Amino acid sequence: MFFIRSAGEADLPKVQTLLAETWRDTYRPFHGDHVVEAMIAHWHSSASLARRLHRPDSEFLVADDGKQLAGMAFAAMSRNTPKLANLHQLYIHPLWQGQGIGTDLFAEIETCFPDADRMHLEVTAENERAIEFYTKVGFREIGRIDNVGPPGAKLPAILMEKTLAF
Protein backbone atom coordinates (compact mmCIF):
# COMPACT_ATOMS: atom_id res chain seq x y z
CA MET A 1 0.00 0.00 0.00
CA PHE A 2 1.32 3.42 -0.96
CA PHE A 3 0.91 6.47 1.23
CA ILE A 4 0.86 10.02 -0.07
CA ARG A 5 3.19 12.37 1.79
CA SER A 6 5.23 15.51 1.28
CA ALA A 7 8.60 14.92 -0.32
CA GLY A 8 11.87 15.72 1.41
CA GLU A 9 15.49 16.17 0.36
CA ALA A 10 16.22 12.46 0.91
CA ASP A 11 13.54 11.56 -1.66
CA LEU A 12 15.05 13.53 -4.54
CA PRO A 13 17.39 10.81 -5.91
CA LYS A 14 14.49 8.32 -5.98
CA VAL A 15 12.21 10.94 -7.57
CA GLN A 16 14.87 11.63 -10.20
CA THR A 17 15.09 7.91 -11.05
CA LEU A 18 11.29 7.55 -11.09
CA LEU A 19 10.95 10.50 -13.47
CA ALA A 20 13.70 9.32 -15.83
CA GLU A 21 12.24 5.81 -16.09
CA THR A 22 8.69 7.08 -16.48
CA TRP A 23 9.65 9.67 -19.11
CA ARG A 24 11.58 7.13 -21.17
CA ASP A 25 8.66 4.70 -21.09
CA THR A 26 5.99 7.33 -21.79
CA TYR A 27 7.56 9.83 -24.15
CA ARG A 28 10.11 7.92 -26.23
CA PRO A 29 7.43 6.68 -28.66
CA PHE A 30 6.25 10.28 -29.26
CA HIS A 31 9.44 12.29 -29.21
CA GLY A 32 12.42 9.94 -29.60
CA ASP A 33 15.53 9.45 -27.48
CA HIS A 34 17.21 12.79 -28.16
CA VAL A 35 14.28 14.98 -27.06
CA VAL A 36 13.39 12.76 -24.09
CA GLU A 37 16.95 12.69 -22.75
CA ALA A 38 17.22 16.47 -23.17
CA MET A 39 13.99 16.97 -21.26
CA ILE A 40 15.09 14.60 -18.48
CA ALA A 41 18.41 16.43 -18.16
CA HIS A 42 16.74 19.85 -18.15
CA TRP A 43 13.59 19.29 -16.06
CA HIS A 44 14.62 16.44 -13.76
CA SER A 45 18.13 17.35 -12.69
CA SER A 46 18.96 17.32 -8.99
CA ALA A 47 19.11 21.12 -8.95
CA SER A 48 15.76 21.48 -10.71
CA LEU A 49 14.04 19.08 -8.31
CA ALA A 50 15.59 20.83 -5.29
CA ARG A 51 14.29 24.20 -6.53
CA ARG A 52 10.79 22.74 -6.78
CA LEU A 53 11.02 21.18 -3.33
CA HIS A 54 11.82 24.57 -1.78
CA ARG A 55 9.58 26.78 -3.90
CA PRO A 56 7.18 28.91 -1.84
CA ASP A 57 3.44 28.36 -2.36
CA SER A 58 3.95 24.87 -3.73
CA GLU A 59 3.48 21.23 -2.81
CA PHE A 60 5.74 18.32 -3.77
CA LEU A 61 4.22 14.92 -2.99
CA VAL A 62 5.35 11.32 -3.33
CA ALA A 63 3.55 7.97 -3.18
CA ASP A 64 5.68 5.83 -0.85
CA ASP A 65 5.29 2.29 0.52
CA GLY A 66 8.33 2.51 2.77
CA LYS A 67 10.59 0.74 0.26
CA GLN A 68 10.01 2.54 -3.03
CA LEU A 69 8.31 5.50 -4.64
CA ALA A 70 5.55 4.72 -7.12
CA GLY A 71 4.70 8.28 -8.10
CA MET A 72 5.13 11.98 -7.53
CA ALA A 73 3.25 15.22 -8.01
CA PHE A 74 4.29 18.86 -7.95
CA ALA A 75 2.03 21.91 -8.13
CA ALA A 76 2.46 25.58 -7.28
CA MET A 77 0.44 28.74 -7.15
CA SER A 78 0.87 30.89 -10.24
CA ARG A 79 3.28 33.76 -9.78
CA ASN A 80 1.32 35.90 -12.27
CA THR A 81 -2.35 34.93 -12.01
CA PRO A 82 -4.25 35.21 -8.73
CA LYS A 83 -6.22 32.16 -7.56
CA LEU A 84 -4.55 29.85 -10.11
CA ALA A 85 -2.59 26.73 -9.18
CA ASN A 86 -0.48 25.00 -11.83
CA LEU A 87 -0.02 21.24 -11.81
CA HIS A 88 3.50 20.93 -13.18
CA GLN A 89 4.07 17.21 -12.68
CA LEU A 90 2.09 14.09 -11.86
CA TYR A 91 3.89 10.90 -12.81
CA ILE A 92 3.41 7.27 -11.86
CA HIS A 93 6.15 4.73 -12.54
CA PRO A 94 5.10 2.36 -15.36
CA LEU A 95 5.08 -0.62 -12.97
CA TRP A 96 2.39 1.04 -10.85
CA GLN A 97 0.18 2.74 -13.45
CA GLY A 98 -3.51 1.89 -13.51
CA GLN A 99 -3.72 1.06 -9.79
CA GLY A 100 -5.24 4.30 -8.48
CA ILE A 101 -2.01 5.90 -7.27
CA GLY A 102 -2.35 8.82 -9.70
CA THR A 103 -5.90 9.41 -8.53
CA ASP A 104 -4.72 9.39 -4.91
CA LEU A 105 -1.86 11.81 -5.64
CA PHE A 106 -4.16 14.15 -7.53
CA ALA A 107 -6.85 14.02 -4.82
CA GLU A 108 -4.25 15.16 -2.29
CA ILE A 109 -2.53 17.83 -4.37
CA GLU A 110 -5.72 19.54 -5.47
CA THR A 111 -6.57 20.21 -1.81
CA CYS A 112 -3.22 21.89 -1.07
CA PHE A 113 -4.20 25.26 -2.54
CA PRO A 114 -7.21 26.64 -0.64
CA ASP A 115 -6.70 30.11 -2.16
CA ALA A 116 -6.97 28.75 -5.73
CA ASP A 117 -10.26 28.56 -7.59
CA ARG A 118 -8.85 26.66 -10.55
CA MET A 119 -5.90 24.52 -11.60
CA HIS A 120 -4.11 24.44 -14.96
CA LEU A 121 -1.81 21.89 -16.54
CA GLU A 122 -0.10 21.25 -19.86
CA VAL A 123 -0.05 17.75 -21.31
CA THR A 124 1.73 16.56 -24.44
CA ALA A 125 -0.88 16.33 -27.19
CA GLU A 126 0.13 12.74 -28.06
CA ASN A 127 -0.22 11.47 -24.49
CA GLU A 128 -3.79 10.18 -24.81
CA ARG A 129 -3.58 8.14 -21.61
CA ALA A 130 -2.75 11.25 -19.55
CA ILE A 131 -5.43 13.32 -21.29
CA GLU A 132 -7.97 10.61 -20.48
CA PHE A 133 -6.83 10.55 -16.82
CA TYR A 134 -7.04 14.33 -16.43
CA THR A 135 -10.46 14.41 -18.06
CA LYS A 136 -11.63 11.71 -15.64
CA VAL A 137 -10.53 13.79 -12.62
CA GLY A 138 -12.38 16.87 -13.88
CA PHE A 139 -10.10 18.79 -16.26
CA ARG A 140 -11.24 20.14 -19.60
CA GLU A 141 -9.27 21.39 -22.57
CA ILE A 142 -9.08 25.18 -22.79
CA GLY A 143 -6.41 25.67 -25.42
CA ARG A 144 -3.36 24.45 -27.29
CA ILE A 145 0.31 25.36 -27.08
CA ASP A 146 2.73 24.76 -29.94
CA ASN A 147 6.08 25.04 -28.19
CA VAL A 148 6.72 23.20 -24.92
CA GLY A 149 9.81 21.28 -23.96
CA PRO A 150 13.48 22.19 -24.05
CA PRO A 151 14.62 25.05 -26.29
CA GLY A 152 13.93 24.23 -29.92
CA ALA A 153 11.80 21.13 -29.23
CA LYS A 154 8.55 22.82 -30.34
CA LEU A 155 6.35 20.06 -28.91
CA PRO A 156 2.57 20.52 -29.09
CA ALA A 157 0.61 20.44 -25.84
CA ILE A 158 -2.93 20.80 -24.60
CA LEU A 159 -3.76 23.30 -21.86
CA MET A 160 -6.35 21.93 -19.44
CA GLU A 161 -8.23 23.51 -16.53
CA LYS A 162 -10.20 22.27 -13.55
CA THR A 163 -12.39 24.39 -11.33
CA LEU A 164 -11.51 23.82 -7.70
CA ALA A 165 -14.23 23.86 -5.06
CA PHE A 166 -13.52 23.53 -1.36
Side-chain angles (χ1 to χ4, degrees):
M1 172 171 248
F2 287 91
F3 298 93
I4 308 303
R5 63 171 176 80
S6 293
E9 288 281 343
D11 295 311
L12 295 183
K14 287 183 180 179
V15 169
Q16 192 173 20
T17 298
L18 178 144
L19 288 169
E21 291 174 1
T22 303
W23 269 68
R24 288 179 184 119
D25 183 77
T26 303
Y27 294 107
R28 217 177 240 154
F30 309 137
H31 307 307
D33 289 334
H34 179 72
V35 170
V36 169
E37 293 304 320
M39 292 172 89
I40 289 170
H42 182 70
W43 286 346
H44 308 313
S45 68
S46 297
S48 181
L49 293 174
R51 279 192 301 276
R52 285 185 205 118
L53 184 66
H54 299 293
R55 180 175 167 179
D57 298 319
S58 71
E59 188 62 49
F60 195 136
L61 302 174
V62 292
D64 183 3
D65 72 354
K67 296 179 219 143
Q68 62 190 331
L69 300 183
M72 62 79 63
F74 172 75
M77 288 297 293
S78 171
R79 292 179 172 145
N80 303 318
T81 306
K83 298 188 177 264
L84 175 65
N86 290 302
L87 180 61
H88 295 282
Q89 296 174 297
L90 194 155
Y91 293 103
I92 308 303
H93 191 280
L95 294 174
W96 300 104
Q97 291 176 5
Q99 298 185 33
I101 297 166
T103 301
D104 292 346
L105 271 167
F106 181 74
E108 181 66 25
I109 207 149
E110 78 173 327
T111 67
C112 293
F113 303 96
D115 293 336
D117 60 11
R118 65 198 188 288
M119 183 174 276
H120 279 185
L121 63 84
E122 295 172 5
V123 59
T124 301
E126 297 91 351
N127 194 346
E128 294 174 3
R129 187 171 184 182
I131 295 165
E132 182 180 316
F133 170 80
Y134 291 124
T135 301
K136 188 172 86 174
V137 297
F139 282 87
R140 64 182 175 80
E141 181 178 336
I142 61 168
R144 301 254 171 171
I145 302 164
D146 294 327
N147 190 16
V148 297
K154 298 183 181 179
L155 304 174
I158 295 172
L159 179 62
M160 299 182 85
E161 179 178 86
K162 178 179 181 173
T163 301
L164 301 176
F166 295 99

